[in-house]
Amino acid sequence: MGRLSIVIADRHPVVLLGLRNLLEAHSDFKIVASCSDGTSCIEALRNLRPNIAIVDAALAGLPGLDLLSVANSEKIHTRLVFFAASEQERELLGSSAINGHSVLLKEVMPDVLLQALRQIAEHCEVSPRSSKKAPLLQGPGSEDALTMLTDRERQIIRLVSEGLSNKAIGRRLNISDGTIKVHLHHVFQKLQVSNRTALAALAIAPAGTAKVPASKKGRRRLRRS
C-alpha cells in the first residue's frame, strides 16, 4: 500500500495542527490540503481527489451532511471521515443513507484514528476510477460475529471507540471496573480481536460495512447518563 493522500478540514486551527503533527509523523500518510471551511474543503476534494478526508462535522459554509451530499452527487470517491463534537452529531451523520463515510467523536484516541484510516485504505476502493467497495471487516469480526454480542457489550464497544478507560466506562454505565473487564474478555473472544485499538476500529467502521450497531435501549441509557 502506497502513501495515503489526505485532506484535513476543521474550523479550529489547533485541531488542524494536531492532525497534521499526528499524520506527518507516519510515513504512510501525506496531507495534500488543509482547510478551515466547507467551501475550500469541497474544492480540495474536487481538484485533488484524495484517498481520505478528515472533516469537522460542523464546518462553516458546508456542514457535514451537505458536504457529503455534494461529494456523492459529483461522484467524488474520497472516503470522508467526519469528526463529531457530540453523540447527537455522530448519530445524525451515522444515520445518513449515503455510503462512503465514517463518523468519529473528536475524543477518539490517536492510535484508534490511525488504525481506522489504515483499515479504510486497505479494504475500500477509493480511486475516482471505481466506486466498488470491499467489506471493511471479514471473517471472525464480520456481521455474523457481531450478532453474538449482547446489548451491554455493544454499549461498551461504543464507549471504547470514544477512547474511554475501563474506569470511565464503569462510571458512565454505573458498573464496576471488574465487570467491564469481564465483558471485554467475552467481546475479544467473540470477535477474535486482541486489543482495544482493534476493537475500537471495528466499532467505527465506515458506514455500510460491518460495524457494531448500538441498540435502541442502549442509546436511551447513554443519553440519560
Side-chain angles (χ1 to χ4, degrees), residues 186-197:
H186 291 160
V187 169
F188 288 155
Q189 287 186 322
K190 290 176 181 180
L191 301 184
Q192 296 185 28
V193 296
S194 58
N195 57 63
R196 295 169 72 94
T197 299

Side-chain angles (χ1 to χ4, degrees), residues 19 29 35 91 96 102 135 167:
L19 284 172
F29 300 114
C35 311
E91 287 186 5
S96 170
S102 305
K167 184 174 292 186

